[in-house]
Amino acid sequence: MRVLQLLSDGLFHSGEALGVELGVSRTAIWKQISRWRKKGLNIDVVHGKGYRWRSPLEWWSAEKLLQHMQPETRRIVTDLQILQVTDSTNTVIYEQLRKNGRSGSVCLAEEQTTGRGRRGREWVSSLGSGLTGSIGWCFDQGVAALEGLSLAIGLSVVRALKRYGLEEAGLKWPNDIMLGSAKLGGILIELQVDGDGRCLVVVGIGLNIAVPGELDAQLNRPVTDVSRAIGSKVIERNRLGAYVIEEALLMLKNYRPGSFAELHEEWCRYDVLAGQSVEIEGGQETIRGKALGVDIHGALLIDTPSGMQAISSGEVSLRGI
Ligand code: BTN
């Protein structure tokens, strides 16, 4: 990490100078830099000049994140952990919630080794390429009160992106964050009802910020990132991260039974599936038809040859794509 801090100015540094600064050999510097390059950081190696990190990252900083939040949101945060690397931030927050049942715990990681996606998939991200974070919340009113929550969290991410200046983000039911037909981010909500009937909810958010080309190819489906979307290489990660956490926390804090009905109209404004021919893969059957938005409970409405159907879970794909 220390070598990256020295390279954070985006200028060339010789191996020798870095070695002197850190009290290690030039070979040790080379080994460290090779490791970071393998993790996807674009560090140039130029003979006679040394090393240069072309697009240095703004690392997550608890202090900066809190600074970018409104004072009233800051008060909702009960714990803010920044981890260099972890298996999955959802696991970290779940363990914490199980121990203390306290709403408002937040964890962000620079790197996840076994990030989880929806429907048992893996969430692939590389060091610093995005936002990988989770928030823990405890609901007292039972599972029924959570109807539509996963869609509402998607909406909170779109609100955060708009605040950052990205106006065009959309939502693909239930909660993919999209830019046109390319995925910008996703949400994984995991929950558990404890012995007292309380619902422990972990909201996991993955957002692509600056995905390296190699990772792009590995994902074999259209993905995009905030950096491309707003046409800037320099992303103020802590400002963007603060907005995402803030909007999600406010959504969680104010969420009540029936809340989605109030958000329904706003959600539909960002619906990228509306009017499209879609296929929904459920447990045993595939439903085909035209997507007609969502109802006030958050179910996807599909106009099928056998009539209108309201779908509450499944994987949607656009037909013919
Ligand atoms: C999806 O499949 O679209 C949901 C992806 C959710 C990924 C995030 S990254 C932070 C949190 N930790 C995980 O292991 N998954 C979620």
Side-chain angles (χ1 to χ4, degrees), residues 16-31:
E16 196 177 347
L18 291 169
V20 169
E21 189 81 29
L22 300 178
V24 296
S25 67
R26 272 170 36 193
T27 317
I29 294 289
W30 165 240
K31 278 191 187 148

Side-chain angles (χ1 to χ4, degrees), residues 83-241:
L83 300 175
Q84 182 57 35
V85 53
T86 188
D87 47 1
S88 155
T89 54
N90 267 28
T91 308
V92 173
I93 288 296
Y94 176 64
E95 290 305 326
Q96 208 168 316
L97 211 49
R98 230 165 40 115
K99 275 191 215 131
N100 63 21
R102 221 187 297 142
S103 295
S105 47
V106 181
C107 174
L108 290 185
E110 292 293 358
E111 198 181 354
Q112 286 189 136
T113 50
T114 48
R116 298 195 290 274
R118 284 182 59 241
R119 304 181 75 78
R121 280 190 295 251
E122 189 188 357
W123 181 258
V124 183
S125 59
S126 65
L127 173 74
S129 67
L131 178 154
T132 46
S134 306
I135 302 175
W137 205 266
C138 187
F139 285 88
D140 292 326
Q141 293 137 307
V143 187
L146 305 182
E147 183 183 80
L149 178 69
S150 81
L151 281 78
I153 294 294
L155 183 58
S156 75
V157 175
V158 169
R159 286 178 178 173
L161 289 166
K162 270 178 98 88
R163 275 176 69 189
Y164 190 79
L166 203 164
E167 296 283 336
E168 304 82 13
L171 288 163
K172 178 180 163 209
W173 185 89
N175 55 20
D176 280 353
I177 317 298
M178 306 293 290
L179 198 78
S181 57
K183 185 156 166 166
L184 195 59
I187 289 152
L188 175 68
I189 297 197
E190 296 179 300
L191 51 95
Q192 175 100 31
V193 181
D194 75 4
D196 306 324
R198 290 179 316 170
C199 238
L200 307 180
V201 176
V202 178
V203 173
I205 302 173
L207 193 62
N208 301 327
I209 295 185
V211 177
E214 311 85 75
L215 185 62
D216 229 353
Q218 209 182 309
L219 294 172
N220 66 43
R221 64 186 156 145
V223 293
T224 189
D225 56 40
V226 176
S227 167
R228 266 176 274 182
I230 62 170
S232 162
K233 279 209 174 351
V234 187
I235 300 295
E236 290 173 74
R237 286 211 310 162
N238 289 291
R239 183 161 72 87
L240 175 59

